[in-house]
Amino acid sequence: MKFIVSSSALLKQLASINGVVTNNPVVPILENFLFEISDSTLTITASDLETSMITELPVEAKENGRIAAPARILLDTLKNLPDQPVTFTIDEETYTIEISSSNGRYKLSGENATDFPRVPVVKGGNAIEIPSNVLSRAINKTIFAVSNDELRPAMTGIFVQLRSDNVTFVATDGHRLLRYRRTDIATSQEASLIIPRKAFTLLKSTLPTEATSVRVEFNNSNAFFSFDNIRMICRLIDERYPDYENVIPVQNPNKLVIERQALLSSVKRISIYSNKTTHQIRLKLSGSELQVSAEDLDFSNEANERLACQYEGEDMEIGFNAKFLLEMLNNMDSDEIAFELSTPNRAGLLMPVANEENENVLMLVMPVMLNNYV
């Protein structure tokens, strides 16, 4: 089997799906790309059993065939070659791959393609079309709050809820919760699924910057994403997602409106003086003033700042983990944000004062218990 392809075109396609390949896979053959040639089209598959990505590109080839090619050495070779046509010659009996370029010849050993696991096909599933820029924004808004706790597998993915009037993306790690809702996308068949973090991370890095329609199909076990010449199949997390709606407090009489950048900068500075284990900072609200402070008793470090704000409600003091607060503030776009609070031991809600068109962003953060030694 022989084919000719542009080195840069092949490198671009391999790089787009290489994130799936792991260093120590369960099955050794998964350190390879699966190359399949049919009617002058090269289809390349990368898989880790849970997630598979497939891409294709045209090549010059007279015959069809399959081979598993080692991912790392192939990528490293192509990265260091100037843009030129390269010829792949494959011995289907010994699984030897020879790459010929104007610079020289490179020989590497492949594996039998029949050992490569089959990629699942989504049949009889539901489908929805989502613009790539919307999907990318939804992933960016939620992925940082996904849990790493393998003992709670449901929370290691993003919960996607498809309804007749909106689509909601939810992520939580038990300390904070992100709800991102779009009202410009809807589906006639309501459904909910949990997409693993790795699948969405890979998708985020491969989604095109220009607006493209992404087709999402899913059944009970897998989700299938396709756009341009890339397809991705991932196994869904088969767990029950926590009832996030019940966690969001409804009665929040204390409302704070403040300039996002001012609060972000202040929390950044104050957090330097917080305890390195708890990252605890204190917000003291009274009148039209917010006092941000932190102390680390182990090293006798302390800091406090005063910020102007609009505040309606009772005077109160509440503690938060500065790391969580910083991530959430960094992830918002609006100039002004609203903080809705009830009591110092109940979750606070953080949201933009003005939402973008067709979207609704709500962030929830759990407080930390304050030691009242000040």
Side-chain angles (χ1 to χ4, degrees):
M1 183 173 98
K2 198 173 181 178
F3 66 91
I4 301 167
V5 64
S6 152
S7 62
S8 60
L10 180 59
L11 175 62
K12 186 183 174 190
Q13 298 305 322
L14 292 180
S16 68
I17 65 169
N18 180 51
V20 183
V21 181
T22 51
N23 289 333
N24 295 305
V26 184
V27 188
I29 196 162
L30 295 177
E31 290 181 317
N32 296 266
F33 290 120
L34 175 64
F35 280 22
E36 296 175 285
I37 289 183
S38 177
D39 303 329
S40 296
T41 298
L42 170 62
T43 303
I44 310 159
T45 306
S47 176
D48 68 356
L49 292 182
E50 297 286 322
T51 309
S52 303
M53 286 187 86
I54 303 161
T55 183
E56 50 188 44
L57 74 161
V59 295
E60 280 182 48
K62 289 192 169 71
E63 60 217 311
N64 298 342
R66 306 168 81 223
I67 186 84
R72 182 175 289 176
I73 192 167
L74 187 56
L75 272 167
D76 287 347
T77 306
L78 291 169
K79 276 177 191 170
N80 291 291
L81 275 177
D83 182 18
Q84 59 183 286
V86 289
T87 305
F88 281 72
T89 309
I90 292 142
D91 185 324
E92 294 188 53
E93 288 181 10
T94 61
Y95 310 118
T96 305
I97 304 165
E98 192 177 283
I99 306 168
S100 309
S101 71
S102 58
N103 300 65
R105 286 164 64 243
Y106 317 92
K107 210 171 198 176
L108 52 155
S109 55
E111 291 189 51
N112 189 342
T114 53
D115 296 335
F116 203 88
R118 281 180 169 273
V119 174
V121 178
V122 177
K123 282 184 181 170
N126 302 324
I128 184 171
E129 301 269 342
I130 303 178
S132 59
N133 57 329
V134 170
L135 185 56
S136 183
R137 189 167 166 82
I139 297 170
N140 281 327
K141 287 281 175 204
T142 50
I143 203 157
F144 72 91
V146 174
S147 173
N148 294 316
D149 186 357
E150 296 298 332
L151 296 174
R152 294 191 282 183
M155 287 156 66
T156 61
I158 293 177
F159 182 58
V160 183
Q161 215 170 17
L162 305 165
R163 291 188 176 139
S164 55
D165 55 351
N166 65 58
V167 171
T168 304
F169 297 79
V170 181
T172 183
D173 60 3
H175 302 288
R176 62 234 164 122
L177 181 143
L178 253 286
R179 189 190 72 192
Y180 179 81
R181 184 167 282 164
R182 294 292 301 204
T183 53
D184 53 345
I185 308 163
T187 174
S188 54
Q189 288 184 304
E190 298 199 353
S192 54
L193 42 152
I194 308 173
I195 309 279
R197 179 216 291 265
K198 181 175 178 179
F200 265 159
T201 304
L202 290 165
L203 202 57
K204 187 177 85 164
S205 60
T206 46
L207 282 170
T209 45
E210 62 279 0
T212 309
S213 181
V214 180
R215 183 172 174 79
V216 185
E217 294 175 70
F218 56 93
N219 55 21
N220 291 337
S221 52
N222 293 289
F224 182 96
F225 299 84
S226 54
F227 54 94
D228 295 345
N229 60 341
I230 289 180
R231 286 169 285 157
M232 185 179 92
I233 301 99
C234 72
R235 192 177 296 168
L236 299 174
I237 296 174
D238 186 17
E239 293 282 337
R240 183 183 168 87
Y241 202 77
D243 186 359
Y244 73 91
E245 295 281 10
N246 273 346
V247 182
I248 300 169
V250 183
Q251 299 294 326
N252 303 295
N254 304 311
K255 292 182 172 61
L256 161 75
V257 175
I258 192 166
E259 203 178 303
R260 183 183 70 90
Q261 196 57 54
L263 181 60
L264 177 64
S265 302
S266 181
V267 173
K268 267 185 190 170
R269 291 188 294 268
I270 296 295
S271 65
I272 298 166
Y273 293 84
S274 66
N275 182 290
K276 295 298 170 272
T277 309
T278 63
H279 305 286
Q280 179 184 295
I281 62 162
R282 179 187 298 257
L283 303 185
K284 190 174 182 181
L285 296 150
S286 58
S288 58
E289 188 178 85
L290 167 67
Q291 193 173 326
V292 187
S293 62
E295 55 274 306
D296 184 353
L297 293 183
D298 299 341
F299 298 98
S300 301
N301 296 336
E302 61 175 275
N304 68 73
E305 289 188 11
R306 294 174 189 278
L307 299 172
C309 65
Q310 293 167 254
Y311 179 62
E312 289 174 26
E314 293 176 14
D315 290 3
M316 72 183 291
E317 275 187 59
I318 188 165
F320 289 110
N321 181 317
K323 279 175 71 180
F324 295 160
L325 215 49
L326 286 172
E327 276 187 319
M328 295 167 99
L329 290 168
N330 270 319
N331 213 263
M332 297 177 98
D333 310 317
S334 76
D335 295 335
E336 282 192 317
I337 55 139
F339 230 135
E340 295 192 1
L341 306 160
S342 53
T343 58
N345 60 354
R346 295 199 63 198
L349 299 183
L350 196 57
M351 57 199 84
V353 168
N355 276 299
E356 298 276 322
E357 192 181 356
N358 298 318
E359 79 172 22
N360 180 280
V361 181
L362 182 137
M363 302 185 180
L364 175 148
V365 60
M366 296 302 292
V368 291
M369 293 301 288
L370 287 170
N371 298 321
N372 287 314
Y373 42 66
V374 173

